Amino acid sequence: METAVDPHAPLTDDELRRLNAYWRAANYLTVGQIYLMANPLLREPLTPAQIKPRLLGHWGTSPGLNLVYAHLNRTIVRRDLQMMFITGPGHGGPAIVANTWLEGTYTERYPSVSQDEEGMQQLFRQFSFPGGIPSHVASEVPGSIHEGGELGYSLMHAYGAAFDNPELIVACVIGDGEAETGPLAGSWLSNVFLNPARDGAVLPVLHLNGYKIGNPTVLDRIPREDLLSILRGFGYQPYVVTGDDPDRVHQELAGTLDRALDEIAAIQRRARGTGLVERPRWPMIVLRTPKGWTGPREVDGRQVEGTYRAHQVPLSGVRDNPEHLAQLERWLRGYRPEELFDATGSPVPEITGLVPQGDRRMSANPHTNGGQVLRDLTLPDFRDYAVAVPEPGGTTAGATTATGQWLRDVIVANPDRFRLFGPDEVASNKLDAVFEVTDRVWLGARRADDDHLGPDGRVMEVLSEHLCQGWLEGYLLTGRHGVFTSYEAFIHIVDSMVNQHAKWLKTTRDIPWRRPLASLNYLLSSHVWRQDHNGFSHQDPGFIDHVVNKKAEVVRVYLPPDANTLLTTMDHCLRSRHYINVVVAGKQPSPNWLSLDEAILHAQRGLGIWDWASTDQGTEPDVVLACAGDVPTLETLAAADLLRRHLPELRVRVVNVIDLMRLQSEAEHPHGLPDAQFDTIFTRDKPVIFAYHGYPSLIHRLTYRRANHNNLHVRGYQEEGTTTTPFDMVMLNQLDRFHLVVDVIDRVPGLGTRAAHLRQSMIDARQECRDYTRRYGQDSPRVAEWRWVGTRG
C-alpha cells in the first residue's frame, strides 16, 4: 500500500509564494547557464550573438533538483539542521551551481562570479564553456562530494558520508535512470549498516521524471505497487509526492519532508535515548514530476516537457532558428526575472531570506570539504608489531597477519574516524585480529552462531566491491580515514569508480579552497600467485596497471616483500594525504627478509640493493636480479642462491623494488629515481633479469626511457593459471627460480657455453618439480623446504 501523506497544506500563502519565487530563480539561472553568454537579465531582446555557439548541458532533471534543494533549505532554516546534498543526476550541474550562487557560497569561493548582473553573466558564460566549468556537479562546485559523471554511486556516497556523523542528514536525489544501475540497486541495502545511535541519517529522494536520454525509465513504468513494495522490502518507508501543478506539489513536498524529518528525529531519539539499537524503517521520498518541468511544452510540433526530448537542450537551434530564439526568450521571461533580481542583478531579499546562514548552507557545509574537518589518526607505533628477523629468511610470517594486529589497535585508538572496508574477505585476508576489538557492522537480524556481528562494529563487510568503494569514498570525502581490503583479482570490479576518484583528487589539487583528504588506501591480498584452490578465475594482477594510468601526482603503488615492510608501508599510507595508495601483499606464511630497521630504510628508499644477497660487492656486477612483489622476491633470492652455489665467480647484484613508481624518471613521477641513481643501481649496460608480480609490460612501460632498457628482461604473470600448487603456478608463468637462472645464463655474455651443464640441470629441475606436483599434489621438498642460508653483509 502507498503511504498516505498528511493532506494539510503546511505552507502559508506567503511561504508558498516565496518558495515558488526561489524555485523560479533557480530555474532561470539554470536555463541561463545552458544558453546565454550575455544579456543575463534580458534587459533587451535576445539576439543570436548572445547565445553560446555550443549548447551543452542537461535541462530535464534540473527543475526537480531545484525543487528539492529549495524545500530542503526551508527545513534547514526551520529546524536548524546540518544537511548536505548529493546529486545522483550529476549532469544536472547547472541547477546545483544556480543554488550555490543564490546561497552566496559560489561568490565566496569565486569572487569574480559576484551576486550581481556582471557576476550573473560570468556565471552563465563559464558553464560548459572553454576555460570555464564542467557541465556536471564537479569538484569545482561548493558543497559537492559527488561528481555524477558516472551514474550509480550517489546513494553509497551518501551513506559513507553519514557513517560516524551523528548530527548530519544527507539528502540524496537518485535519478530514475541512475536507479537502473547495478551499484545503485545494491545501495538500497546500505541501511542495514547505518546505526541511528552513532551515525547520521540518509534521506533518499527517488526522482521519477520518467525518461533517460532516449528511453523511458524502468521504475517509472512498473506498477506503483511493485515499486513501493521493492522499496519497503529494502527497509524504507516510502512517501509519494506527484504532480505537475507547482502550488500543489510545493504543499505536498513540504508536508512530506516535515513528516520524513520528524520520523528521522524520532528514530535517532529512540536509539540514542534507550541504547536499544535495531534496524529501523527509514523514511524516503518518491518524487514524480515531469521531465523538463516549466520548460518548453512543444518544440517544432513535438512534445518536449514530460518526455525524453527534455533531457538535454530542448531548443537546439537557437542561433539559427528565429522561432527557437523567440521561444527561448518566452521561456526565460516566463520566470519573471524582474521580480527575482533587483536593479543590480542581485537576488531580492524575498529569495535570500530563504537561504540558511553560514555553515548551515548545504553548499558551505564543512563536511562537503572533508579536508576542512579532517583530523589526523592516532596511530600506534608499528614498530611494536614487528616480526623478529635475526637473519634473512630466518623466520616466516603472514605479512597481513602482522598488519592485522596493528590495524586492530588503529581501530581502538580511532573509534570515530577510521573504518576497515572489505567484501566478506577481512578474515580471509588474515586481518581477523581486528575482531578481537570490534564487530562487523550489522543491524539486520542476528543469530546465536553469527561471528562478530553488531551495530557498533568498525568493519564494513558486504559482498559488493562497489558498496565498499562507494562507502569509503563518501567517508573519505567527508573527512575520515579508512582501508579497503580485497582479493587482488576482484578489485577490478571498481575500476571505473577508481577513475572518478582519481579525477576528483587530481582536480581538487588545483582548487585552493578544497583541503587535502585522507588517502584512499587499498590493501590487496589473496593475490595472483597464491590462489591455490580458486585457480584461474582468481588470478589477475592488472589493477596495478589500471591505477598507474592515472595522474602521477595522485597514484602510488607498493609491493612490500615481507611482514615488516608491509607494516611500515601501511603506516606511511595512513599518514598520507590526497593519494590513491595500492599495496599488494601476501597473506600466506612467507620468509621474512628484513629486520624492522632495515625494512624502514628500504621502504624510505623505495628500492635498493640487498647487499646480503649480492655477490658483486666492490665490483661491477655481471648481472642484476631485480624483483618486485613477495613471491617474485622469493624466487629471485632462490635463483641468487643457485647462482652463488653453482657459479660462485659470477658477480650478481640483487635489487628489490617496493615503490613501483621509483622505476619511472623524476620527470614522470614525483617518486621517480633520477637517471644517474637509476644507472648506478641497474647499470647502463648489464643484463637485468626482473621478476615482477604483475604483467611484464608495465615494467617496460615504466622504464622505457632508461639508458639500459634494451637489456631489461622481465618475467611476470603471462595469463597462465589454474588450480595448482604455488611453485607450479610460478613455473606456468616462467617466473620460477630455475627459469631465472636460465635467463641469466642466456643473457650474460660468454656464460652460455661455460654454464651449459647448469642450464640443462635447471630445465631438468623444472620438469622434476612439475612431475612431483602431478604425482603427489604438492610442491617438491626441493622448493617447499628451501631456505636462504647466509647472513647480512
Side-chain angles (χ1 to χ4, degrees):
M1 289 288 294
E2 177 181 332
T3 303
V5 176
D6 185 353
H8 175 67
L11 300 174
T12 66
D13 290 345
D14 183 61
E15 287 175 325
L16 175 60
R17 181 179 56 80
R18 295 173 67 195
L19 255 179
N20 195 60
Y22 182 102
W23 183 49
R24 284 160 41 215
N27 286 338
Y28 180 85
L29 295 170
T30 300
V31 181
Q33 289 177 78
I34 295 173
Y35 284 97
L36 300 185
M37 290 198 301
N39 194 14
L41 288 170
L42 303 181
R43 297 192 189 278
E44 58 187 59
L46 274 181
T47 67
Q50 295 164 351
I51 307 300
K52 294 179 179 180
R54 299 168 69 245
L55 298 179
L56 304 169
H58 294 75
W59 164 246
T61 190
S62 293
L65 294 175
N66 288 331
L67 179 75
V68 175
Y69 205 105
H71 278 263
L72 291 174
N73 272 346
R74 167 187 170 268
T75 65
I76 292 169
V77 172
R78 184 166 176 242
R79 298 166 180 257
D80 191 30
L81 297 176
Q82 186 181 155
M83 184 177 284
M84 59 183 286
F85 190 87
I86 288 182
T87 314
H91 49 266
I96 307 306
V97 171
N99 283 279
T100 65
W101 189 81
L102 288 173
E103 290 183 328
T105 316
Y106 204 91
T107 299
E108 292 170 12
R109 298 301 190 191
Y110 307 102
S112 64
V113 189
S114 49
Q115 273 193 313
D116 54 25
E117 184 173 5
E118 182 179 352
M120 189 188 297
Q121 179 162 317
Q122 174 65 17
L123 183 79
F124 289 178
R125 183 183 180 87
Q126 70 178 10
F127 176 78
S128 214
F129 199 83
I133 64 171
S135 64
H136 289 77
V137 187
S139 55
E140 291 88 344
V141 181
S144 171
I145 70 164
H146 174 82
E147 201 271 347
E150 181 183 19
L151 298 178
Y153 312 125
S154 60
L155 191 55
M156 57 182 77
H157 283 159
Y159 276 96
F163 295 140
D164 294 324
N165 254 336
E167 305 307 316
L168 184 67
I169 297 177
V170 186
C172 180
V173 178
I174 301 151
D176 48 356
E178 177 189 22
E180 296 174 11
T181 65
L184 196 287
S187 295
W188 296 112
L189 296 169
S190 298
N191 61 26
V192 178
F193 303 86
L194 189 78
N195 183 338
R198 67 178 301 164
D199 298 329
V202 175
L203 178 60
V205 179
L206 175 60
H207 186 205
L208 298 177
N209 61 31
Y211 292 91
K212 306 185 284 287
I213 192 169
N215 285 288
T217 56
V218 173
L219 293 187
D220 186 61
R221 293 293 181 93
I222 64 175
R224 175 176 292 187
E225 294 73 18
D226 290 355
L227 173 62
L228 297 177
S229 294
I230 290 169
L231 297 173
R232 287 185 60 82
F234 280 127
Y236 296 92
Q237 181 63 60
Y239 296 105
V240 178
V241 176
T242 184
D244 59 5
D245 176 71
D247 286 355
R248 188 168 67 82
V249 172
H250 280 307
Q251 292 285 10
E252 285 193 17
L253 183 54
T256 301
L257 269 174
D258 285 342
R259 180 167 185 173
L261 292 168
D262 285 344
E263 290 185 8
I264 288 173
I267 288 168
Q268 292 178 334
R269 273 196 310 271
R270 283 196 301 272
R272 296 170 189 182
T274 66
L276 180 63
V277 180
E278 298 176 331
R279 182 190 179 201
R281 186 171 292 280
W282 294 96
M284 66 164 293
I285 296 172
V286 178
L287 174 64
R288 180 181 267 112
T289 59
K291 195 173 187 76
W293 196 17
T294 75
R297 290 184 179 273
E298 289 187 0
V299 176
D300 298 332
R302 294 185 298 181
Q303 179 74 19
V304 172
E305 184 184 78
T307 76
Y308 67 90
R309 297 185 185 94
H311 184 80
Q312 291 179 308
V313 180
L315 295 161
S316 58
V318 183
R319 273 199 159 200
D320 305 318
N321 186 326
E323 175 52 36
H324 282 201
L325 181 65
Q327 201 169 357
L328 173 62
E329 185 164 354
R330 289 195 299 272
W331 177 11
L332 284 164
R333 292 191 186 279
Y335 294 118
R336 304 191 298 280
E338 67 279 1
E339 299 175 7
L340 309 174
F341 307 99
D342 64 20
T344 71
S346 297
V348 297
E350 185 177 42
I351 289 173
T352 57
L354 294 176
V355 172
Q357 298 299 303
D359 289 351
R360 285 294 190 254
R361 295 171 295 177
M362 289 188 287
S363 58
N365 188 298
H367 295 285
T368 65
N369 185 7
Q372 189 176 331
V373 296
L374 180 66
R375 292 180 293 153
D376 290 344
L377 289 173
T378 300
L379 292 177
D381 190 343
F382 68 90
R383 296 167 182 82
D384 296 338
Y385 305 82
V387 174
V389 186
E391 59 184 26
T395 59
T396 61
T400 55
T401 299
T403 293
Q405 295 165 358
W406 178 70
L407 287 173
R408 171 197 63 202
D409 296 341
V410 172
I411 287 172
V412 171
N414 302 276
D416 61 348
R417 58 188 183 275
F418 176 84
R419 294 196 183 206
L420 179 61
F421 299 77
D424 196 31
E425 294 162 358
V426 170
S428 177
N429 282 333
K430 307 300 182 184
L431 301 173
D432 47 308
V434 298
F435 296 123
E436 297 171 15
V437 297
T438 192
D439 293 326
R440 301 171 175 90
V441 182
W442 188 264
L443 278 87
R446 281 178 281 165
R447 298 173 180 169
D449 61 346
D450 286 334
D451 181 34
H452 290 98
L453 297 182
D456 293 319
R458 310 303 295 163
V459 175
M460 310 292 295
E461 275 200 321
V462 61
L463 197 52
S464 166
E465 287 83 359
H466 285 119
L467 279 184
C468 291
Q469 175 82 18
W471 289 343
L472 178 54
E473 287 178 354
Y475 201 63
L476 298 175
L477 287 161
T478 49
R480 279 72 63 76
H481 309 254
V483 170
F484 184 177
T485 182
S486 175
Y487 280 22
E488 181 186 41
F490 298 119
I491 198 65
H492 270 303
I493 292 171
V494 300
D495 277 359
S496 61
M497 298 183 74
V498 177
N499 289 345
Q500 298 300 323
H501 194 73
K503 292 174 190 295
W504 184 280
L505 295 180
K506 186 263 184 187
T507 303
T508 53
R509 288 174 70 90
D510 299 321
I511 300 176
W513 55 269
R514 287 279 186 186
R515 308 307 304 154
L517 303 168
S519 296
L520 173 54
N521 300 306
Y522 295 98
L523 176 53
L524 306 182
S525 195
S526 301
H527 60 53
V528 59
W529 301 110
R530 293 304 308 268
Q531 282 296 335
D532 305 352
H533 64 288
N534 286 313
F536 197 31
S537 66
H538 286 53
Q539 293 162 346
D540 187 335
F543 186 69
I544 295 173
D545 301 64
H546 176 70
V547 169
V548 170
N549 287 330
K550 305 302 114 186
K551 275 291 185 179
E553 63 264 31
V554 170
V555 297
R556 306 288 185 265
V557 178
Y558 301 102
L559 295 163
D562 66 359
N564 286 336
T565 50
L566 178 59
L567 277 169
T568 184
T569 298
M570 290 305 299
D571 179 82
H572 166 76
C573 290
L574 286 188
R575 295 180 189 276
S576 70
R577 295 288 181 270
H578 228 67
Y579 297 138
I580 294 175
N581 294 314
V582 178
V583 183
V584 184
K587 66 182 182 182
Q588 303 294 349
S590 301
N592 297 307
W593 308 112
L594 302 180
S595 68
L596 180 65
D597 290 339
E598 291 170 332
I600 293 171
L601 281 173
H602 184 50
Q604 290 171 343
R605 287 192 300 257
L607 62 79
I609 300 169
W610 281 3
D611 292 333
W612 51 268
S614 304
T615 57
D616 69 325
Q617 287 83 355
T619 62
E620 190 175 26
D622 297 312
V623 65
V624 176
L625 295 184
C627 49
D630 51 5
V631 169
T633 297
L634 171 63
E635 292 305 307
T636 295
L637 290 172
D641 182 43
L642 287 167
L643 291 169
R644 183 180 57 178
R645 288 190 283 115
H646 295 287
L647 294 173
E649 74 284 4
L650 190 69
R651 294 168 299 187
V652 178
R653 176 177 296 175
V654 175
V655 176
N656 182 263
V657 179
I658 182 172
D659 180 350
L660 203 61
M661 310 320 292
R662 295 289 273 169
L663 296 176
Q664 285 192 297
S665 73
E666 57 186 342
E668 296 172 303
H669 195 282
H671 286 195
L673 203 63
D675 284 337
Q677 294 182 36
F678 188 92
D679 293 345
T680 298
I681 294 171
F682 289 96
T683 78
R684 291 180 64 87
D685 57 2
K686 296 297 186 289
V688 179
I689 312 301
F690 200 125
Y692 170 54
H693 173 85
Y695 292 105
S697 59
L698 180 59
I699 301 302
H700 286 293
R701 176 185 153 196
L702 296 177
T703 60
Y704 80 101
R705 294 182 184 272
R706 301 297 191 177
N708 199 29
H709 179 252
N710 286 341
N711 278 322
L712 180 65
H713 311 283
V714 186
R715 294 294 174 185
Y717 184 61
Q718 299 177 357
E719 204 66 24
E720 294 291 340
T722 185
T723 302
T724 190
T725 65
F727 191 70
D728 192 50
M729 181 65 187
V730 293
M731 283 199 298
L732 283 172
N733 291 275
Q734 300 180 340
L735 185 68
D736 61 279
R737 61 198 68 181
F738 306 124
H739 204 287
L740 295 177
V741 171
V742 169
D743 268 346
V744 170
I745 294 170
D746 290 346
R747 304 294 182 182
V748 174
L751 195 56
T753 303
R754 183 158 53 92
H757 297 280
L758 176 61
R759 190 185 193 284
Q760 179 174 291
S761 70
M762 295 296 100
I763 299 298
D764 292 344
R766 296 185 86 241
Q767 187 60 51
E768 290 168 8
C769 289
R770 172 71 43 78
D771 293 343
Y772 191 95
T773 63
R774 298 306 186 267
R775 182 173 183 181
Y776 296 105
Q778 60 185 1
D779 282 325
S780 165
R782 178 174 183 172
V783 294
E785 298 176 5
W786 175 85
R787 299 291 181 270
W788 177 266
V789 178
T791 58
R792 295 183 179 89

